[in-house]
Amino acid sequence: MEFYTEKQRKIKVVANVDVLVAGSGPAGFGAAIAAGRMGMKTLIVEQGGCIGGMSTSGLMSHFTGTVDCPLYREVIKRQAETEGREPKEYINPEILQLVYLKMLREANVEIMLYTFVSDVIMENDAVKGVIIESKSGRQAIFAKRIVDGTGDGDIAAKSGAEFFIGRESDGKMQPVTLMFKVGGVDYSRAVFPHSFESLVETAKGELQSLAHKNLTPPMGHVLLYPTYTPGVVTCNMTNYIDANGTNVEDITKSKIACQLQITEIIQFLHKYAPGYEKCYLLETAQQMGIRETRHFMGEKTLTENDITEAREFDDWIVKGAHFNFDVHNLTGSGLDKTGAQDKFTQKKGYTIPYGCIIPKGVENLLLSGRNISGTHMAHSNYRAMPICMALGYSAGIAAALSVKNACTVRAVDVKEIQKNYCEL
Ligand SMILES: Cc1cc2nc3c(=O)[nH]c(=O)nc-3n(C[C@H](O)[C@H](O)[C@H](O)COP(=O)(O)OP(=O)(O)OC[C@H]3O[C@@H](n4cnc5c(N)ncnc54)[C@H](O)[C@@H]3O)c2cc1C
């Protein structure tokens, strides 16, 4: 491989803030709202053209699972009010973007779109700022505390925080998916299999089996979700395995492969899915759907047992979290043999301790969302967007408290995080 040594150069420092949030998915949004509401000079930097990450530019169908978090309830309520409907977990990505924007404005959060955080500015083991790349060139931002809401943990990785990728045994990651929407669906007859375990009998046979038999692997399952727009359905059916979401070649390859799968999927729906005989492609997601990449080593690590036993940690920063083990087949279509969706039996919510968002060996930085410290199995559960939002919310609160009290993030009093989590 050839290498090129960049010349040293002076770059503009374009901001100096209390709390910088990198990435604006459910986690980054939650962090920015919390820090802003706590009076911090807060800036959120997003590589894409809108706020929301997978929840908006990923063309997501719905918030799945749940969490006991006032911010999550507020988002659901405000989305419903804006759209003039009852508060439900279904997402209209356009409306949700507006809700996020309004809430960030109200919290006095500065927003920088179309800007990629490409590197970190370190002083020993402390992150002092970041390098950004955009249409305006290469620039620097300094921040007292940084929350990594990039999903993949780009900031933590650059700062040298230790991580492993994917499944512990072999590094394999959950498959990736490009979400898309179809229009022209006859809702009076349409079927909506919401999980791999939801079986739909049709005149031609059971739909999941038909997909397994008729779609080219690694496609082979049917996940269809209703929307509030007449005749429009969100499809979670493209599938690409063995892609590393932190490698641009893999992201490009998988995006193209998934996009090309859509024609075959629509032909399948025409032929086999009741109500979809005349459906047509309406929209594909801007953001590639990456389920799993880096798991960072935190002061604590959430495990599968913590979830199945619904452990109540005294130092919780997320509570009432509930979802299932949504492990997609790592080598093909459908559910992995370690996964459990409708058959998941634990009904009680679990908690996540503060240590899971504190990366080992790095100062001034907090993890959030799907990049926190957790095992492959635990991740398949807390990666649900409501839980990611709550994780970000607490990370933002912790960052703000650490600035206010002039202490390290490790020294923040967890009881103060909990108080703000409930009352902010
Ligand atoms: C195909 C698919 C379907 C899913 N279905 C559901 C579902 O139905 N319901 C549900 O609740 N969850 C679902 N999930 C899980 C959920 O979407 C994610 O786990 C969750 O969005 C993670 O939140 P996050 O904020 O950590 O990351 P993301 O939502 O991925 O947001 C990360 C943000 O950071 C930005 N970013 C990344 N790197 C940089 C950088 N270096 N600089 C600047 N910005 C950066 C990205 O553009 C993005 O906006 C699904 C996931 C996938 C992939």
Side-chain angles (χ1 to χ4, degrees):
M1 187 183 278
E2 267 192 284
F3 288 94
Y4 171 73
T5 306
E6 288 184 73
K7 281 197 197 116
Q8 214 177 27
R9 56 184 160 154
K10 243 188 211 170
I11 57 174
K12 263 193 203 157
V13 177
V14 288
N16 202 324
V17 296
D18 293 323
V19 178
L20 174 87
V21 180
S24 75
F29 163 77
I33 285 285
R37 286 181 180 174
M38 289 179 74
M40 294 292 106
K41 188 175 179 194
T42 306
L43 171 65
I44 188 163
V45 179
E46 165 59 47
Q47 67 172 344
C50 75
I51 299 294
M54 279 308 293
S55 68
T56 55
S57 55
L59 216 59
M60 201 48 64
S61 47
H62 63 297
F63 287 98
T64 194
T66 190
V67 71
D68 179 3
C69 175
L71 179 66
Y72 172 58
R73 288 193 287 273
E74 186 181 342
V75 166
I76 293 293
K77 185 164 168 274
R78 290 187 65 160
Q79 191 191 219
E81 281 167 2
T82 311
E83 227 180 348
R85 62 164 165 91
E86 76 274 35
K88 287 264 188 209
E89 65 283 7
Y90 283 96
I91 293 173
N92 177 336
E94 294 296 328
I95 300 292
L96 188 57
Q97 278 182 45
L98 294 178
V99 169
Y100 284 154
L101 276 179
K102 280 188 195 150
M103 290 175 72
L104 288 169
R105 282 274 172 88
E106 288 162 13
N108 292 319
V109 174
E110 289 291 326
I111 299 170
M112 198 180 261
L113 297 176
Y114 301 111
T115 305
F116 187 76
V117 180
S118 59
D119 212 342
V120 288
I121 301 168
M122 299 293 291
E123 210 176 276
N124 302 317
D125 56 1
V127 192
K128 294 288 185 178
V130 296
I131 304 295
I132 54 171
E133 304 274 355
S134 72
K135 203 77 176 162
S136 306
R138 189 172 165 87
Q139 300 172 318
I141 297 172
F142 283 94
K144 292 186 181 130
R145 301 291 177 269
I146 295 175
V147 177
D148 189 336
T150 62
D152 298 316
D154 288 1
I155 318 309
K158 286 283 178 189
S159 71
E162 209 185 315
F163 63 85
F164 65 92
I165 284 214
R167 183 162 70 181
E168 289 82 353
S169 57
D170 56 8
K172 266 191 181 300
M173 284 159 266
Q174 290 215 33
V176 303
T177 293
L178 181 70
M179 300 289 288
F180 67 95
K181 283 187 179 184
V182 292
V185 178
D186 176 0
Y187 262 54
S188 67
R189 293 182 307 111
V191 294
F192 298 104
H194 65 276
S195 75
F196 301 124
E197 291 160 341
S198 57
L199 307 180
V200 177
E201 291 301 336
T202 73
K204 292 178 179 163
E206 194 285 310
L207 206 54
Q208 299 291 0
S209 313
L210 286 168
H212 197 65
K213 224 181 288 166
N214 290 288
L215 287 170
T216 309
M219 289 181 282
H221 52 248
V222 188
L223 296 172
L224 299 165
Y225 301 95
T227 71
Y228 278 95
T229 314
V232 176
V233 171
T234 309
C235 308
N236 184 340
M237 289 177 62
T238 65
N239 198 37
Y240 190 92
I241 54 172
D242 289 330
N244 180 345
T246 64
N247 174 316
V248 73
E249 281 176 27
D250 281 11
I251 303 171
T252 307
K253 249 195 299 185
S254 60
K255 160 78 201 275
I256 293 170
C258 285
Q259 198 154 9
L260 293 174
Q261 290 175 359
I262 293 175
T263 312
E264 188 180 330
I265 292 171
I266 290 184
Q267 282 165 359
F268 169 84
L269 293 174
H270 284 167
K271 194 164 173 193
Y272 295 106
Y276 293 77
E277 295 81 359
K278 293 185 179 157
C279 75
Y280 53 87
L281 177 61
L282 200 61
E283 190 182 3
T284 56
Q286 292 298 307
Q287 183 177 324
M288 192 58 205
I290 311 289
R291 291 189 173 80
E292 177 183 23
T293 50
R294 301 183 181 109
H295 305 268
F296 286 87
M297 310 307 286
E299 296 297 344
K300 287 194 177 165
T301 299
L302 198 76
T303 66
E304 181 178 356
N305 266 356
D306 295 333
I307 294 172
T308 48
E309 287 166 18
R311 269 188 78 176
E312 289 180 20
F313 291 96
D314 285 343
D315 56 345
W316 64 264
I317 48 129
V318 168
K319 64 185 174 107
H322 191 269
F323 188 41
N324 54 48
F325 289 127
D326 191 12
V327 191
H328 292 224
N329 185 350
L330 277 68
T331 55
S333 62
L335 190 66
D336 192 76
K337 58 180 184 307
T338 59
Q341 291 186 324
D342 296 346
K343 292 186 181 136
F344 184 76
T345 49
Q346 173 60 271
K347 294 285 176 248
K348 268 175 73 184
Y350 64 93
T351 63
I352 301 179
Y354 185 37
C356 290
I357 66 169
I358 305 177
K360 269 192 182 161
V362 180
E363 293 298 336
N364 294 349
L365 180 67
L366 287 161
L367 303 164
S368 70
R370 70 172 169 84
N371 60 39
I372 68 158
S373 181
T375 63
H376 162 76
M377 281 304 291
H379 165 275
S380 74
N381 190 305
Y382 63 69
R383 72 185 185 86
M385 294 189 297
I387 305 173
C388 286
M389 190 180 289
L391 280 162
Y393 192 50
S394 281
I397 293 169
L401 287 172
S402 148
V403 172
K404 275 193 173 171
N405 300 336
C407 64
T408 65
V409 294
R410 281 171 178 71
V412 170
D413 179 356
V414 183
K415 295 286 169 237
E416 258 199 281
I417 302 178
Q418 294 170 352
K419 188 168 178 290
N420 280 281
Y421 180 97
C422 297
E423 293 171 6
L424 196 60

